[in-house]
Amino acid sequence: MKLNKILITIWALSLTACGFNLRGVDGDYHFPYKNVYLDCNVNAVCPFLKETIVNQNLASIVTNRESAEAIITVSDERTNTENSNFNAVGQISGLKLTYEVTARVYNKSGIQEMPDIIAKSSNTINYNNSLILSASQEEQTTMDELHDNVVRIIIRRIVYSRPYMGSSDVESK
């Protein structure tokens, strides 16, 4: 038993000594663009996307397409709510919420840089007919979480679809 603990400790130390860490830990992304223009037709997710790019210092948001290194468009929003569970008397007791958007990344010339990014997130919540107000608040909170998840998916796919090509001593911001 003691030997197992020693071996696990040695293994963990060797992993950390070689610089191993999980992808994207603490938002440590090398965003491939210095400045981006957001073309969003989706009001629900665009504020989350802009806030994430700005707060994590991934890139600068510019207000015109001409000065942008990349143009990120977000469109084709799809929201779905379906019954997932029923109680013994046939009333709805659970809902499955699904949110999906499509993002595209274009360069200055208007050429699409990578395949369409279809970001989809879903979650199941408990639903109680007698607590309609509480259920609708929980549904809205869950939708906000889904929007946040979709933004993270979009950013990860941009980062990992177009690997950072510069040397390790050059910042990507």
Side-chain angles (χ1 to χ4, degrees):
M1 183 70 172
K2 193 171 187 175
L3 180 63
N4 285 342
K5 288 182 181 180
I6 292 171
L7 290 175
I8 290 173
T9 304
I10 290 171
W11 176 74
L13 288 174
S14 66
L15 276 180
T16 56
C18 73
F20 173 80
N21 60 358
L22 297 173
R23 286 191 317 184
V25 171
D26 296 329
D28 186 21
Y29 300 116
H30 292 291
F31 206 67
Y33 307 105
K34 292 181 182 178
N35 49 43
V36 296
Y37 175 79
L38 292 179
D39 183 10
C40 290
N41 298 328
V42 180
N43 293 332
V45 77
C46 288
F48 286 106
L49 181 59
K50 184 176 182 178
E51 179 181 323
T52 302
I53 290 172
V54 169
N55 288 347
Q56 291 187 9
N57 294 322
L58 298 175
S60 300
I61 305 287
V62 295
T63 56
N64 58 0
R65 290 176 177 260
E66 293 78 29
S67 61
E69 191 177 336
I71 297 137
I72 301 172
T73 64
V74 181
S75 60
D76 303 331
E77 177 184 43
R78 288 177 290 288
T79 304
N80 187 24
T81 303
E82 59 186 52
N83 305 332
S84 65
N85 296 327
F86 296 92
N87 62 16
V89 293
Q91 296 175 329
I92 299 168
S93 64
L95 296 174
K96 181 177 181 184
L97 305 174
T98 305
Y99 183 74
E100 181 178 335
V101 295
T102 302
R104 295 173 184 90
V105 180
Y106 299 95
N107 63 15
K108 288 181 181 184
S109 305
I111 299 170
Q112 192 167 346
E113 291 270 306
M114 60 190 70
D116 289 357
I117 300 169
I118 299 172
K120 182 177 182 179
S121 184
S122 63
N123 198 356
T124 304
I125 62 171
N126 293 326
Y127 183 81
N128 187 345
N129 282 338
S130 62
L131 303 172
I132 295 294
L133 183 58
S134 174
S136 69
Q137 287 174 342
E138 183 178 359
E139 184 175 344
Q140 184 57 45
T141 301
T142 303
M143 284 306 290
D144 288 343
E145 291 171 3
L146 296 180
H147 297 155
D148 191 40
N149 290 343
V150 163
V151 165
R152 291 177 189 189
I153 291 168
I154 292 170
I155 288 175
R156 266 190 248 116
R157 295 229 182 117
I158 290 172
V159 168
Y160 295 116
S161 292
R162 183 170 184 241
Y164 179 62
M165 299 302 225
S167 64
S168 60
D169 61 339
V170 178
E171 286 191 25
S172 64
K173 295 177 179 89

